[in-house]
Amino acid sequence: MSIGINDLDNLQLDVLREIGNIGAGNAATALAKMLNKKVDMDVPKVKILEFKDVSEILGGADILVIGILLRVSGDLAANIMFILECKAARVLVNLLMGKPVEHEGEFNEIELSALKEIGNILSGSYLSALSALTNMRLIPSIPDIAIDMAGAILSVPAIEFGKVGDSVLYIETEFSEGSTKVVGDFFLIPDVESYEILLKALGVVM
Amino acid sequence: MGNIIKVGMADLMVSNHPSILTTLGLGSCVGIALYDPATNVIGLAHIMLPSSLQAKNNSNVAKFADTAVEKLIEDMIKIGARRGNIVAKLAGGAQMFAFNQTSDMMKIGLRNAISAKEKLAELKIPVIAEDTGGNYGRTVELYSNDGKLIIKTIGHGVKQI
């Protein structure tokens, strides 16, 4: 038996939202330490979207975004993807590298590596929250990064969902530093056979 | 010229002359563009997965290379195209992330393109041009006046096939 995301009931969605909340809280703390600044994080939103609307998540399929992808292994097989608008990524990198917030330009090697590290920290925090809740052993891979059209990057997690259904589930996390708002989208995409394992471990599926 | 009609992910559209069909941000997905030069009927599909036979949920025919090709041709014939005239162009099928591993997910772009070509060959629709592979996204526009396919990228230029 496999569980489609459209079959999730309110309780199960609440549980996912709560994981997102705990994970995001951890991530905000980690990010604040990295930036040496106070970082606020909104309550994550759990959304289920049809594929044809997926590329509109960040305001258009052909806008430039940054995608950071990690593979999760261990008790659960999944992919984690963190997507940031290019502008937001620039702000984050500027904060991290001690540049003026309004600095613009292409990312150099060190900045790309800094972005991967941000993805690493956010995903790591998320995973440790999930791991603590479920008692599962979860091991993230090293992150990989792509800078391209939103649609092209978002299609990577969408395709995984495509194998089981016609919509995609994602958790949107908004975080901000001072008056600078940085919006990031966070996808946790369990492999087809891992869906049930996850929900069972969370005690919301018998 | 004509209307610009947008085709979403896992979606397909057909149209009469004059019109332009477009789909944005093809990553490992493949854009299958069909054109009947005699009637100027065009069709475009944005497929995500190679085969409907391997999927648990295959109700959306536009999601898979095999079923999307069949449906595109069927819909084009409904609005006046002749099967024997139809030619195909393909774009997309990239690998967006360079993960050094051999998981299924990472080769999906290549498999999408191969599956589309297999189905087109089976139905005797010639593939007259393609721009597939690579590691970058593509936005395509298909024109009904001459069947040209314009491919736009970020950082890899614009080309016409």
Side-chain angles (χ1 to χ4, degrees), chain A residues 57-58 64-69 80-86 88-89 146 149-157 173 175 183-187, chain B residues 97:
Chain A
I57 290 175
L58 290 163
L64 191 60
V65 301
I66 306 225
I68 299 158
L69 184 70
I80 278 188
M81 183 178 254
F82 186 61
I83 293 189
L84 276 173
E85 262 180 83
C86 235
M149 301 171 187
I153 287 180
L154 285 164
S155 72
V156 176
T173 320
F175 48 102
V183 182
D185 284 305
F186 196 94
F187 295 79
Chain B
F97 289 89

Side-chain angles (χ1 to χ4, degrees), chain B residues 21-63:
Chain B
L21 291 173
T22 182
T23 193
L24 308 179
L26 289 162
S28 43
C29 297
V30 170
I32 303 171
L34 301 186
Y35 169 60
D36 174 356
T39 59
N40 297 92
V41 172
I42 50 175
L44 181 65
H46 182 147
I47 62 104
M48 297 172 72
L49 289 163
S51 169
S52 61
L53 303 173
Q54 291 158 13
K56 284 182 180 150
N57 179 337
N58 54 12
S59 56
N60 178 4
V61 294
K63 194 160 74 181

Side-chain angles (χ1 to χ4, degrees), chain A residues 103-122:
Chain A
H103 173 82
E104 282 175 29
E106 297 233 330
F107 296 106
N108 61 32
E109 270 313 301
I110 295 170
E111 291 171 333
L112 284 178
S113 141
L115 278 172
K116 283 189 196 173
E117 194 47 36
I118 290 170
N120 226 351
I121 287 171
L122 295 180

